[in-house]
Amino acid sequence: MTEVLQLDPECPQHKAIERAAAIIQTGGLVAFPTETVYGLGADAMNETAVRRIFEAKGRPPDNPLIVHIASRGMLDLVANDISEKAERLVKKFWPGPLTLVLPRNSQIAPSVSAGLRTVAVRMPKNEIALGLIRASATPIAAPSANASGRPSPTSASHVLDDLGGRIDMILDGGTTDIGIESTVLDVSSDAPAILRPGWITREMLSEVIGPVDRSASAEELRRSPGTLHRHYSPRARVVLIERGSLKRIEQLCREHLKQGSVGYIGHTPVDIDDESFHYIPLRERADDYGSSIYASLRELDQTSPRVIIVEGISEEGEGAAVMDRLRRAASEVIVND
Ligand code: TXA
Ligand code: MG
């Protein structure tokens, strides 16, 4: 049985947090909101508990987890050799949607790092998450709380759909703000590199620490195995149209409609009146796409479409993070015009 507790996101009820913390302390699994997406948490120092995360999600064991902390002091339990650049980033962006990859402290449960010498760590900007970590008095390992391969959950009901019955508790703090997972930055060596783009952009990072590598090389991707796995996908096939005219999008929708029901997520309104056509309009802005894209993919999935067509947005600023996730969700990418 998975218990769901409703919490006030601004001022979470102590009693509920205490109960959730007791589960973490005894090796159980608790899903909780962060400012990005919901995480599935376990005590990061307890190997048995951490292994349960992999089981519940069906996560490949070579994909390491992010450790969540609530204070700068906790960082020393998790990581070693924190560089001056890393310290500057911590001061500037924590709490917030930035994950730092640092040399691992050997106290951390081995499975957290999936055999790597490094550990990913962040301080979430969410009162429920911070309250849970403090009350548990231990760093909490937490990947996104979806079944492996599915879109990350941005509400408690998404978590329940994927993991109901497989985890002990869900702390429901409503819909998450950003909706896209944190930026992952490797600062374990002298050349900082972004392993996963997110809301903290390369430009924002460069302002604080100087040059940052944009895209991960093949070698760096091997260092972040999660980026190699198929990700963020609904059950339906996703076709991403990176840049398309209204005419092209309509044509594509009509072609697929001949063979079954079609979902469409985009900022270009399409004039198709057909009960097999399901359209979720979004504004052409990274924040609109970010906060709604996973929920929209899940919603359209429920109509069992033959295909979900998604229109892309500009890659500028936070748009890069959105496009990264869309490309990973897609089994076909159309670059048009
Ligand atoms: O916003 C987020 O980051 C959310 C919330 C819950 O905090 N968490 C999240 O976790 O997205 P997950 O497990 O879905 O993604 C973690 C990513 C994966 O791509 C993984 O490969 C990478 O971080 N990662 C974890 N540890 C790493 C390490 N030691 N070195 C390189 N990459 C690492
Ligand atoms: Mg994930």
Side-chain angles (χ1 to χ4, degrees):
M1 268 298 289
T2 299
E3 195 176 357
V4 183
L5 299 183
Q6 239 94 42
L7 273 83
D8 177 344
E10 254 82 75
C11 192
Q13 294 82 337
H14 282 296
K15 260 226 168 95
I17 294 284
E18 292 294 336
R19 283 186 51 208
I23 293 174
I24 294 287
Q25 286 174 336
T26 51
L29 302 183
V30 176
F32 58 93
T34 77
E35 77 279 40
T36 58
V37 301
Y38 275 73
L40 176 60
D43 180 354
M45 316 308 246
N46 179 337
E47 175 66 12
T48 316
V50 170
R51 286 194 185 178
R52 287 201 183 112
I53 293 179
F54 286 85
E55 262 166 49
K57 285 189 52 131
R59 185 178 179 98
D62 66 348
N63 192 358
L65 311 180
I66 296 174
V67 177
H68 295 66
I69 58 173
S71 67
R72 168 63 188 83
M74 258 190 186
L75 183 57
D76 297 320
L77 295 174
V78 177
N80 293 329
D81 305 322
I82 296 145
S83 65
E84 195 255 331
K85 277 182 186 172
E87 294 283 8
R88 267 190 272 159
L89 293 167
V90 164
K91 278 219 181 72
K92 175 82 180 171
F93 295 111
W94 283 5
L98 175 66
T99 295
L100 297 176
V101 173
L102 290 161
R104 167 180 185 275
N105 184 314
S106 57
Q107 294 182 78
I108 289 287
S111 294
V112 168
S113 291
L116 300 173
R117 289 172 44 243
T118 53
V119 63
V121 54
R122 84 179 192 97
M123 192 189 295
K125 192 174 185 165
N126 177 289
E127 288 308 319
I128 298 175
L130 292 170
L132 177 63
I133 301 162
R134 281 190 210 109
S136 305
T138 185
I140 294 185
S144 50
N146 50 282
S148 189
R150 302 260 297 142
S152 292
T154 54
S155 74
S157 69
H158 297 159
V159 181
L160 198 61
D161 284 347
D162 279 17
L163 303 175
R166 308 175 69 93
I167 64 178
D168 299 298
M169 183 178 275
I170 302 173
L171 297 179
D172 181 352
T175 306
T176 59
D177 293 334
I178 296 175
I180 296 272
E181 308 82 357
S182 63
T183 306
V184 178
L185 180 73
D186 186 344
V187 281
S188 67
S189 71
D190 292 338
I194 293 176
L195 303 181
R196 180 175 73 182
W199 240 237
I200 308 284
T201 63
R202 179 172 174 250
E203 292 70 27
M204 291 161 75
L205 296 167
S206 298
E207 267 178 37
V208 180
I209 55 165
V212 172
D213 275 354
R214 183 201 299 271
S215 55
S217 66
E219 168 56 26
E220 280 150 5
L221 284 178
R222 262 193 295 282
R223 279 195 268 146
S224 189
T227 56
L228 295 175
H229 295 288
R230 189 176 147 82
H231 256 79
Y232 318 116
S233 296
R235 293 188 183 87
R237 206 164 74 84
V238 173
V239 174
L240 170 64
I241 177 150
E242 291 217 353
R243 282 181 303 282
S245 59
L246 170 60
K247 211 173 131 208
R248 182 71 183 100
I249 296 169
E250 270 193 2
Q251 184 193 21
L252 196 65
C253 291
R254 287 188 200 281
E255 268 167 29
H256 283 287
L257 265 171
K258 282 183 200 149
Q259 291 152 72
S261 107
V262 171
Y264 168 58
I265 300 168
H267 50 85
T268 301
V270 165
D271 189 22
I272 295 178
D273 187 15
D274 188 317
E275 62 180 23
S276 303
F277 183 65
H278 303 274
Y279 170 30
I280 298 182
L282 296 180
R283 283 184 301 163
E284 192 180 2
R285 293 174 41 159
D287 55 354
D288 237 42
Y289 264 66
S291 60
S292 307
I293 192 67
Y294 290 144
S296 303
L297 288 171
R298 281 176 182 265
E299 188 184 326
L300 288 179
D301 231 5
Q302 312 240 316
T303 66
S304 306
R306 180 190 145 69
V307 66
I308 299 175
I309 296 164
V310 185
E311 181 182 21
I313 56 168
S314 152
E315 206 124 17
E316 238 169 85
E318 293 92 341
V322 171
M323 290 306 289
D324 169 76
R325 305 310 190 274
L326 289 181
R327 290 191 186 111
R328 288 173 199 282
S331 32
E332 185 185 341
V333 179
I334 300 174
V335 185
N336 200 226
D337 297 1

